[in-house]
Amino acid sequence: MLSYNDKTLSWVWLDLDDTLIDFHANSRMALAAIYHDLGFNSLWPDPQAWIENYENHNTALWSLYSAGAVTREALRMERFRRPLRDAGMDDSEARELSDRLDPLYLDKLAQGRILVPGALQLLKSLRQAGAKIGVLSNGFEDIQYRKINNTGLLPYIDLTVLSDEIGVNKPNPEIFRHAMQRSGDLDPDRHIMVGDNPATDIAGAVSTGWQAIWFSRDDTAPAIYHNDGVAVCSTLDEVNALLTGISPA
């Protein structure tokens, strides 16, 4: 069993995208491939312009989706339709192409294998320390399991809880309570969340009574500090040291 802040932990929960899997790197590779495969040079001068246009809309839409302000279907349509419209495409054509782009992009994304540095070592250390390991993600069910399998994370994960499966997104405490029920341990003191998004991962965990570690890759953030019981780490090696006492070699 792990001990953290003088409390015994039974479960360590980790966000998936940009905590364990380098979502941005894999996504940009998928988007660059789409740019070349579909001849998007007629709409954007280079892959970076297309990627930036897409990411601006996608980020805004995911914030709305996490807050329950847009549906899953709207997010998957609009994140492609909007940049296509920005590039001057007719709306009906943009909608038709967006329907094609969504499964194409998700398939390429699921094939990405780039992990955040230190991810596998963290999972191995947690396993050696006797902790149960869970993934708690707002991602789409049809893709997240493929990503977990394709990146080699599956053998280290005891339980996966996805918002897509229960219709509730982080930071809603209901998904964290659902995770506790699935785990068989209903004591919030025995659960900790590690995630990169303070508005969803950390806020949701804290409001449920869990402990939390904010994984912030922002170089301007202190390596580790405590604020209202929340630690902030800038690398997964630091998360590993904080939880298991194992420092990077």
Side-chain angles (χ1 to χ4, degrees), residues 6-176:
D6 298 323
K7 295 179 180 178
T8 300
L9 296 175
S10 60
W11 281 83
V12 177
W13 296 89
L14 299 113
D15 177 54
L16 189 62
D17 291 319
D18 284 330
T19 299
L20 293 175
I21 295 175
D22 194 330
F23 170 81
H24 279 88
N26 290 316
S27 175
R28 287 166 182 168
M29 288 181 63
L31 291 167
I34 286 172
Y35 178 91
H36 293 294
D37 291 348
L38 273 67
F40 275 179
N41 58 312
S42 63
L43 298 172
W44 290 273
D46 52 58
Q48 187 59 34
W50 145 243
I51 291 170
E52 288 179 0
N53 197 180
Y54 168 86
E55 287 184 343
N56 286 338
H57 287 296
N58 188 55
T59 299
L61 286 162
W62 267 100
S63 295
L64 293 172
Y65 177 69
S66 295
V70 299
T71 65
R72 175 184 188 269
E73 292 72 25
L75 184 155
R76 293 175 72 160
M77 164 62 69
E78 290 298 304
R79 62 182 177 175
F80 292 107
R81 187 194 70 84
R82 293 183 183 185
L84 291 170
R85 291 286 289 138
D86 288 346
M89 186 174 289
D90 173 81
D91 187 63
S92 60
E93 186 180 358
R95 288 181 179 276
E96 181 180 351
L97 182 53
S98 182
D99 272 336
R100 292 169 48 207
L101 282 173
D102 180 67
L104 177 63
Y105 165 73
L106 291 176
D107 183 63
K108 291 182 180 296
L109 180 64
Q111 296 175 42
R113 297 185 178 186
I114 303 174
L115 295 174
V116 173
L120 272 180
Q121 185 55 54
L122 172 62
L123 296 178
K124 290 176 181 178
S125 297
L126 291 172
R127 174 71 76 236
Q128 291 170 2
K132 291 289 188 179
I133 300 169
V135 162
L136 189 54
S137 168
N138 275 358
F140 301 138
E141 178 183 359
D142 51 345
I143 299 303
Q144 297 302 73
Y145 284 114
R146 287 178 61 192
K147 287 157 64 174
I148 289 170
N149 186 61
N150 288 342
T151 52
L153 298 179
L154 186 60
Y156 304 98
I157 296 171
D158 298 295
L159 183 59
T160 299
V161 174
L162 302 177
S163 64
D164 210 26
E165 296 175 316
I166 64 171
V168 177
N169 295 325
K170 296 178 291 184
N172 191 322
E174 185 177 338
I175 191 172
F176 292 86

Side-chain angles (χ1 to χ4, degrees), residues 207-243:
S207 67
T208 313
W210 292 15
Q211 300 185 78
I213 297 175
W214 175 23
F215 170 50
S216 172
R217 299 169 79 176
D218 184 348
D219 290 338
T220 64
I224 299 176
Y225 71 88
H226 290 265
N227 181 19
D228 297 328
V230 176
V232 181
C233 297
S234 60
T235 69
L236 289 184
D237 285 338
E238 289 163 1
V239 174
N240 198 353
L242 195 61
L243 287 175

